[in-house]
Amino acid sequence: MKPEFDELVERHSGEIFAYVWRMLREAHDAEDCLQETFLRAFRSYERVRAGTNYRAWLYKIATNAARSHWKRRKRSETYTIDLDPELQAGGMSVADRVEKKALLAAVMRAVEELPDQQRAALIMRKYQELSYGEIAAALECTESAARANVYQAVKKLQAKFVLNEGGAR
Amino acid sequence: MTPNMVPEFELDDKVLKALDAVYAAPSEQVTKQAQAKLRRALMAAKGKIVYYGYAPRTRVGPLFVAVNDRGLVALDFGLSEQEFVARVTQRTKATLIRSDDQAAEALKQVQEYLEGKRTTFDLSLDMSRMSEFQRRVLGIALKIPRGKVLTYGDVAKAIGKPQASRAVGQALGRNPVPIVIPCHRVLGSDGSLHGYSGGGGIKTKAWLLQLEGATLPQ
């Protein structure tokens, strides 16, 4: 039996929002992208077979929607400061703040430079806690390709930040 | 090291913390707001989606039905899929999506009816796009029992507008769900079949009345 579409909305809209939020890191884009995802899903739900992994199917649609948003948008680094509660709260020495901000900006740049598939896979695995099977379904690739995407993403980050004890290069 | 042995996310602590900050979850408030907007967008979309399906061979030719959340929106027969889609799109301004699942129940009931295996319908109807006048006229038609007929004048009287036979005829002629709303049970005041806007015209009207065992005035 296929669940009612509204049930999928109840069950998954929160995590899909977190996912597109992480992919786009901008509130309006994330809201738009959430709507696009579920409207697209709603229109094609009829054609989805019962027993499909609906969660992975929604992530697939969300990934595609986020990708088109991503393409439309100029890359930007303007959000770094709001990112970290510690930075916002203050109470750190100036040197620490500067270092931390620089590291944040560098990490952000590094993940933005990752190929789309790798960034999406990294977010899905580490922050959305999808299984590799689900990531594979969402990215329309094999499970080993899904693993390789996460692996490559982590490896690239390791390579970027290994020299300087975690400091930004 | 193969990907299968990934010690996942083995990164310097500071880098990992920065990554966590970059990918911090949205707040509950922001999420709730986004979900509320999503629900509104979906509600709007639902009213604008009509599903349709068809039975290629029935006693009255290819038969199409269109349904939405409220119920049956349109029924037509003896025309092509493109014609049906164009007509319903124009009338409802909705997006039509082929869905044999959604259309199944209405198609089944109408086919059973045409094959003489069913005498009444158990379907909800979406009459929201009709004028008040047409709703009342079709409401009267719905109450005519199988095997019985009324005249346009009878219907006009029944809605309290005895002078409105012609308008009644037009309202019946624009019945979006013939057969299910039995506009074929309404005849000219002289007992003639008068007209039928469904596929096959008067012949179909006569055939439906015969199927129902109506005694036609000579």
Side-chain angles (χ1 to χ4, degrees), chain B residues 179-206:
Chain B
I179 301 178
V180 175
I181 298 180
C183 58
H184 59 274
R185 293 177 193 158
V186 187
L187 310 179
S189 49
D190 57 354
S192 74
L193 291 176
H194 199 79
Y196 190 59
S197 56
I202 279 183
K203 268 189 196 161
T204 306
K205 190 171 185 175

Side-chain angles (χ1 to χ4, degrees), chain A residues 6 22 125 127 132 158, chain B residues 8 10 20 23 35 46:
Chain A
D6 288 347
R22 286 169 165 139
R125 182 63 187 164
Y127 297 101
Y132 280 112
Q158 278 171 347
Chain B
E8 277 185 320
E10 200 183 41
D20 287 347
Y23 288 136
Q35 285 175 307
K46 279 181 187 175

Side-chain angles (χ1 to χ4, degrees), chain B residues 21-113:
Chain B
V22 168
Y23 288 136
S27 72
E28 199 178 326
Q29 193 197 346
V30 170
T31 304
K32 284 205 167 128
Q33 200 178 322
Q35 285 175 307
K37 284 188 188 166
L38 170 64
R39 275 187 216 103
R40 281 199 294 278
L42 280 168
M43 297 251 282
K46 279 181 187 175
K48 286 182 191 143
I49 289 183
V50 169
Y51 300 101
Y52 76 97
Y54 71 98
R57 270 183 290 276
T58 75
R59 300 294 295 271
V60 293
L63 184 130
F64 298 82
V65 297
V67 299
N68 67 8
D69 284 7
R70 291 175 172 175
L72 192 59
V73 173
L75 183 157
D76 217 334
F77 44 88
L79 74 176
S80 73
E81 184 172 351
Q82 292 92 315
E83 283 174 303
F84 178 76
V85 169
R87 276 187 203 181
V88 179
T89 304
Q90 174 161 29
R91 184 166 69 85
T92 61
K93 312 282 181 239
T95 305
L96 259 74
I97 296 176
R98 170 82 186 269
S99 168
D100 295 329
D101 265 12
Q102 296 275 352
E105 185 56 31
L107 278 178
K108 176 173 152 273
Q109 290 194 23
V110 177
Q111 278 179 285
E112 286 171 356
Y113 191 86

Side-chain angles (χ1 to χ4, degrees), chain B residues 117-157:
Chain B
K117 294 176 192 158
R118 164 186 285 276
T119 55
T120 55
F121 294 103
D122 181 19
L123 294 169
S124 41
L125 304 174
D126 178 9
M127 296 173 84
S128 62
R129 282 178 197 81
M130 298 173 190
S131 68
E132 177 60 27
F133 180 79
Q134 192 184 23
R135 238 195 309 270
R136 285 169 69 196
V137 169
L138 295 182
I140 300 293
L142 265 173
K143 287 188 200 136
I144 309 172
R146 180 189 169 90
K148 297 277 187 278
V149 292
L150 289 182
T151 66
Y152 295 107
D154 293 336
V155 176
K157 269 180 229 151

Side-chain angles (χ1 to χ4, degrees), chain A residues 3-4 11 20 26 60-61 89 100 112 123 147-148 152:
Chain A
E4 289 290 320
R11 225 184 290 159
V20 297
E26 202 279 319
K60 180 173 88 181
I61 301 170
K100 199 157 183 215
E112 286 198 354
I123 295 173
R147 277 177 197 280
Q152 289 298 336

Side-chain angles (χ1 to χ4, degrees), chain A residues 13-15 18 28 30 34 44-46 52 64 71 74 85-86 88 90 94-95 100 112 120 129 138-139 156 158 162:
Chain A
S13 61
E15 63 167 310
H28 278 106
L34 177 72
S44 54
Y45 191 50
E46 273 311 308
T52 298
N64 289 333
K71 272 185 195 152
K74 246 186 97 194
E86 240 177 83
Q88 278 185 307
V94 174
K100 199 157 183 215
E112 286 198 354
E129 296 174 357
L139 295 180
K156 277 179 195 163
Q158 278 171 347
V162 77

